[in-house]
Amino acid sequence: MSRAGGRTDRAARRAERSGSGPVRSGAAPARFPGATSAFGLLGEVLLVGVLVALVSIPVVTLPAALAAGVRHLRRYLLAEDSRLGMFWSDLRAGLVGGIGVGAASVVLVLVLLLDIDLANSGALPGGPVVAAVGWLGLAAVALALFTAAGLWTPRLGWLGALRAAPRSVTGDPVGAAYLVASAVFAVVVTWQLFPLIVPALGCVALAIVAVPERPRRRGRGDTGADGGGRDERGAETSDGAE
């Protein structure tokens, strides 16, 4: 290949990766064409973290804020229209029912934390068992909240997202473990330095988007338990257009 031809090929590759040029013949399109710039993705994750943190100040609005942030990041990664106006539109739709989900989550978390505190104080018989159940309960609440936030669309609603969450979790237990790990990460970094809650929430939103889309092996009889989740998430483009 000549030097000029090599330069042309490299320029075509760069244009393909950045999305500014066409996909070359025989080359597979990028899976996430919006994530070609690492710094651009970092900035978008931080932006989502700021938005989710601000909207979540009342605490009970966290599910709606997280769902809107997840949808915004998903549109950005797919190189779709990701204007901030669409985030606020999703947020307004998500507050309907999302506040109830948030309130129920807060009550459950407070009850579980109280159980853990009583178990550690020695006031309850079988304290270690009660504490272990409490920690597992907290992990289950976080997993349910993150999964539902990832499945939520204006068309599906919170009730539909919560109904679909068990199927999504059982269809991908490793992914569920990743989401629990992201919750632990967010809690630990926030406990160490409270302002880190902003990037932590952005990272949680990114994990909710990325974990179901990661490459993984499928069994011979696997029909794609998470296929329903992808279908629901795939409906977001039309929802956003509406």
Side-chain angles (χ1 to χ4, degrees), residues 20-81:
S20 62
V23 176
R24 292 167 299 136
S25 176
R31 190 172 189 181
F32 295 114
T36 53
S37 170
F39 285 107
L41 178 58
L42 174 62
E44 207 68 22
V45 169
L46 292 177
L47 173 62
V48 168
V50 171
L51 293 172
V52 174
L54 288 176
V55 176
S56 301
I57 289 176
V59 182
V60 294
T61 55
L62 175 60
L66 195 56
V70 166
R71 284 170 60 82
H72 175 83
L73 265 183
R74 188 175 291 125
R75 286 190 294 264
Y76 175 82
L77 290 171
L78 295 176
E80 298 175 354
D81 189 357

Side-chain angles (χ1 to χ4, degrees), residues 96-114:
V96 179
I99 291 180
V101 174
S105 300
V106 169
V107 171
L108 284 173
V109 168
L110 290 177
V111 169
L112 291 169
L113 288 176
L114 178 60

Side-chain angles (χ1 to χ4, degrees), residues 185-186 188-202:
F185 164 78
V188 169
V189 298
T190 303
W191 172 71
Q192 290 178 334
L193 186 62
F194 186 74
L196 290 178
I197 191 174
V198 171
L201 288 172

Side-chain angles (χ1 to χ4, degrees), residues 11-231:
R13 290 177 182 273
R14 287 194 297 270
E16 178 187 351
R17 288 195 298 268
S18 66
S20 62
V23 176
R24 292 167 299 136
S25 176
R31 190 172 189 181
F32 295 114
T36 53
S37 170
F39 285 107
L41 178 58
L42 174 62
E44 207 68 22
V45 169
L46 292 177
L47 173 62
V48 168
V50 171
L51 293 172
V52 174
L54 288 176
V55 176
S56 301
I57 289 176
V59 182
V60 294
T61 55
L62 175 60
L66 195 56
V70 166
R71 284 170 60 82
H72 175 83
L73 265 183
R74 188 175 291 125
R75 286 190 294 264
Y76 175 82
L77 290 171
L78 295 176
E80 298 175 354
D81 189 357
S82 55
R83 292 169 296 169
L84 285 181
M86 301 182 72
F87 170 88
W88 298 115
S89 178
D90 285 336
L91 178 64
R92 288 192 295 269
L95 288 174
V96 179
I99 291 180
V101 174
S105 300
V106 169
V107 171
L108 284 173
V109 168
L110 290 177
V111 169
L112 291 169
L113 288 176
L114 178 60
D115 287 344
I116 293 171
D117 185 61
L118 289 174
N120 292 333
S121 68
L124 295 177
V129 176
V130 174
V133 171
W135 287 113
L136 289 175
L138 289 175
V141 172
L143 177 59
L145 178 60
F146 289 1
T147 304
L151 294 174
W152 180 86
T153 66
R155 181 176 300 175
L156 183 64
W158 283 106
L159 185 58
L162 289 171
R163 286 176 175 173
R167 179 187 177 189
S168 178
V169 170
T170 56
D172 185 13
V174 176
Y178 286 152
L179 291 182
V180 171
S182 69
V184 173
F185 164 78
V187 171
V188 169
V189 298
T190 303
W191 172 71
Q192 290 178 334
L193 186 62
F194 186 74
L196 290 178
I197 191 174
V198 171
L201 288 172
C203 290
V204 166
L206 180 62
I208 294 173
V209 175
V211 166
E213 301 296 336
R214 76 191 191 284
R216 57 186 186 271
R217 295 180 180 179
R218 295 185 181 275
R220 180 176 300 178
D222 187 5
T223 58
D226 62 334
R230 281 198 298 270
D231 292 343

